[in-house]
Amino acid sequence: LVIGAPVAALGAFAATRRPVAWTFVASVPVLLGLLLATRNRAAAVAAVAALAMLAWQARRTLGRRTLAAIAVVLLVGAMVVPSSYVDRFRALWNPASTHATAGLDVSTAGERLDLWSAGQDMAVQQPVFGVGPGNYPMFLPIYRAGADPLAAHSNYIQMAAETGFVGVVLYLALFTGTLVALGCIARSAATDWQRRAASMLQLAFVAYLAGGIFNSRHDFVLAYILAGWTVALQRSATSHASTAVAT
């Protein structure tokens, strides 16, 4: 949902027909409304990271008053977040919480820490190649007796466990390199649509990487499709720049 919102915004910028553009625009609040309904903590972290990135992007093009207005809107938006969503985070530092999902919220947080510890053990024992792609759930009961075959609930821990430190470094290099490339396009592209596309894709990747701290989405197909879009956008921006120089 969080990754989809900037992609939908990109669709609104790119659409050449108003009905299509407005359909994309209308989908953004729907996606964010569904996010509030799910009350997923990793998604909330992803949303905050994307908003922080949006503010960082906006500093280049918007004045201080506009940024202040955006901050006020975000503050008002935060006030409408369901209290049950906030309670899910409150349970992290107050295990004695008594809200409806308190027991589940506390236990899942503790379970994540144990899953991360097991993944770290796998990576330390198999630092080069790991235990093999897709094998973390099968190896988990070996490292934690009686554990169910679950994912690591972290892109980075699971990549390190399954592909070793070499694999997780390559994974990080791919997506950090993509973020850097998008930043360059957003600053120097010759056309508005290229700069806007780069900015929206950058937001999507920030959401993906932030949410991936707490969820195993290292094999999320959309992330790799967006990386391919970045390559295409880079080539398009380079082509426009070469044409402009030649002209």
Side-chain angles (χ1 to χ4, degrees):
L1 293 172
V2 183
I3 296 169
V7 174
L10 172 57
F13 289 135
T16 56
R17 297 181 179 180
R18 285 191 176 183
V20 177
W22 282 111
T23 299
F24 276 116
V25 170
S27 70
V28 174
V30 172
L31 291 170
L32 298 179
L34 289 172
L35 169 63
L36 294 179
T38 64
R39 302 195 303 276
N40 184 278
R41 287 179 290 193
V45 172
V48 170
L51 288 172
M53 187 67 203
L54 179 61
W56 177 259
Q57 292 173 344
R59 86 195 193 285
R60 295 194 297 263
T61 56
L62 302 178
R64 291 183 179 180
R65 292 183 179 180
T66 304
L67 288 175
I70 292 175
V72 171
V73 171
L74 292 177
L75 180 61
V76 173
M79 295 174 66
V80 303
V81 173
S83 59
S84 56
Y85 207 159
V86 178
D87 286 339
R88 295 212 64 203
F89 284 92
R90 187 175 292 117
L92 298 177
W93 58 83
N94 182 16
S97 298
T98 58
H99 59 275
T101 61
L104 177 64
D105 297 338
V106 173
S107 65
T108 53
E111 183 180 57
R112 266 185 172 82
L113 293 176
D114 193 42
L115 292 171
W116 293 354
S117 176
Q120 181 181 358
D121 292 344
M122 294 180 202
V124 169
Q125 291 187 20
Q126 302 288 340
V128 180
F129 299 113
V131 297
N135 286 342
Y136 176 94
M138 291 185 292
F139 274 78
L140 180 60
I142 298 174
Y143 283 81
R144 294 294 183 273
D148 293 326
L150 301 173
H153 283 74
S154 170
N155 289 352
Y156 314 106
I157 296 295
Q158 189 144 347
M159 284 296 294
E162 293 185 350
T163 63
F165 293 109
V166 174
V168 75
V169 167
L170 291 173
Y171 173 80
L172 289 170
L174 170 64
F175 287 109
T176 55
T178 300
L179 279 176
V180 171
L182 289 169
C184 293
I185 297 169
R187 289 191 299 271
S188 60
T191 63
D192 287 340
W193 74 264
Q194 290 169 336
R195 290 191 291 271
R196 288 173 177 173
S199 295
M200 293 302 101
L201 288 174
Q202 202 172 37
L203 293 178
F205 277 116
V206 166
Y208 168 68
L209 293 172
I213 298 172
F214 305 101
N215 273 325
S216 289
R217 296 293 182 269
H218 56 292
D219 54 357
F220 187 44
V221 175
L222 179 59
Y224 296 90
I225 292 175
L226 296 182
W229 287 11
T230 300
V231 174
L233 187 61
Q234 175 81 50
R235 290 178 64 86
S236 174
T238 303
S239 176
H240 274 79
S242 299
T243 301
V245 170
T247 302

